[in-house]
Amino acid sequence: MNPVALITGASRGIGRGIAIELAKIGYDLVINYARASEAAEKTAADCIAEAKASGKTVRALTCRADISLSEDRQRLVDFARREFLRIDLLVNNAGVAPTVRADILEAGEQSFDRLMAINVKGPYFLTQQIARWMIELTQRLPPGPEYRPKIVTVSSISAYTASTNRGDYCVSKAALSMLTPLFAIRLAPHGINVYEIRPGIIATDMTSGVKEKYDKLIAEGLTPINRWGTPQDVGRAVAAIAQNLLPFSTGEAINVDGGFHLRWL
Ligand code: NAP
């Protein structure tokens, strides 16, 4: 029986990159998305094809659900329960940037509320629900070689980097960062490890509108590893966790940022 991962926001970008890397190592997948069903179906088909090319057979099913809405989160969890009967890995990846970048002296409450609902409230309560299910499963499948459940949350370098033209995003990612230590401590007695991934500047739809700005900053030496990150870079970090390669680490924040977080002279 394959292990099962639920990835939020996996139709495009980083979530898609994570889905493909997990498919290659034999994970069955719940590919969540909010709006773009064609993109989600394509990701599912690509996951199945990539798995096959790696000698694996996996199932990859899509499920539309807005993670900021409690009824949608319930439907997403019910879908995973019904279709796969188990859950080995939750990846809280879905997240949004402000529709318009605005100075913190001007930015409005509507954008703040939207970002907090999708970037913080959604993953917080989805993690609560999935963690309860994982604990339930550990009663039947004792933690060990058979069942080593894990939770990964994708935050951002914006959790600690101030951008005054998108304060709402920074505040939401800083808040999201606390999810990992909280659940790591609470779930350790149940054998559930919890990790945060902090991507740097990754080439996706989210950053396409500021491509020229970041091209210039990267060319000027913003990051020690001097290139854009890719969804595959993040996917490989999640795949390392998914393969139990960090068994004695929990509550850990892993930077996937080309060294952006380093201070140097
Ligand atoms: P993206 O290309 O804009 O993709 C966003 C994904 O999230 C899509 O699959 C989208 O689904 C889904 N989504 C959006 N709102 C949702 C909701 N309410 N419920 C469920 N799914 C929702 O973004 P990305 O660049 O891959 O970013 C993914 C994560 O990485 C985000 O949390 C982001 O903050 C974080 N991150 C990104 C970067 C970067 O440089 N790109 C850097 C650091 C951190 P639809 O296709 O249906 O719209």
Side-chain angles (χ1 to χ4, degrees), residues 10-155:
S11 49
R12 300 181 280 123
I14 291 173
R16 175 186 152 86
I18 295 169
I20 286 175
E21 294 307 310
L22 292 178
K24 285 182 192 170
I25 58 169
Y27 268 76
D28 284 347
L29 300 165
V30 180
I31 293 168
N32 160 251
Y33 66 101
R35 297 172 299 143
S37 63
E38 320 76 49
E41 293 306 331
K42 180 172 178 350
T43 294
D46 290 349
C47 283
I48 290 166
E50 290 278 354
K52 199 171 170 198
S54 304
K56 311 274 183 192
T57 304
V58 304
R59 289 174 75 209
L61 301 180
T62 63
C63 182
R64 181 176 180 163
D66 179 340
I67 56 150
S68 68
L69 304 175
S70 125
E71 59 274 24
D72 278 29
R73 287 193 300 274
Q74 185 63 56
R75 196 163 42 73
L76 178 60
V77 174
D78 290 347
F79 176 83
R81 275 182 177 266
R82 193 172 60 244
E83 292 293 338
F84 293 101
L85 307 173
R86 67 185 276 169
I87 184 78
D88 298 76
L89 174 65
L90 166 67
V91 184
N92 289 308
N93 164 76
V96 288
T99 318
V100 179
R101 292 187 173 197
D103 183 86
I104 44 169
L105 296 182
E106 308 293 338
E109 288 189 28
Q110 212 178 343
S111 176
F112 186 93
D113 289 345
R114 172 173 172 262
L115 265 60
M116 292 303 280
I118 297 172
N119 295 355
V120 184
K121 185 178 156 191
Y124 186 87
F125 286 104
L126 183 62
T127 300
Q128 183 190 69
Q129 252 175 309
I130 295 284
R132 286 181 187 154
W133 182 16
M134 286 173 167
I135 291 168
E136 193 187 305
L137 285 166
T138 60
Q139 319 294 319
R140 279 194 283 127
L141 307 163
E146 279 301 304
Y147 189 57
R148 289 184 178 141
K150 288 172 274 291
I151 294 166
V152 175
T153 296
V154 177
S155 67

Side-chain angles (χ1 to χ4, degrees), residues 218-263:
I218 292 168
E220 288 166 358
L222 181 72
T223 51
I225 299 176
N226 201 230
R227 64 167 173 83
W228 280 77
T230 65
Q232 187 180 46
D233 289 324
V234 183
R236 286 190 173 179
V238 176
I241 292 168
Q243 289 172 100
N244 301 311
L245 296 179
L246 285 83
F248 197 51
S249 303
T250 194
E252 199 63 42
I254 299 165
N255 295 289
V256 184
D257 65 353
F260 174 90
H261 66 284
L262 299 168
R263 290 164 189 262

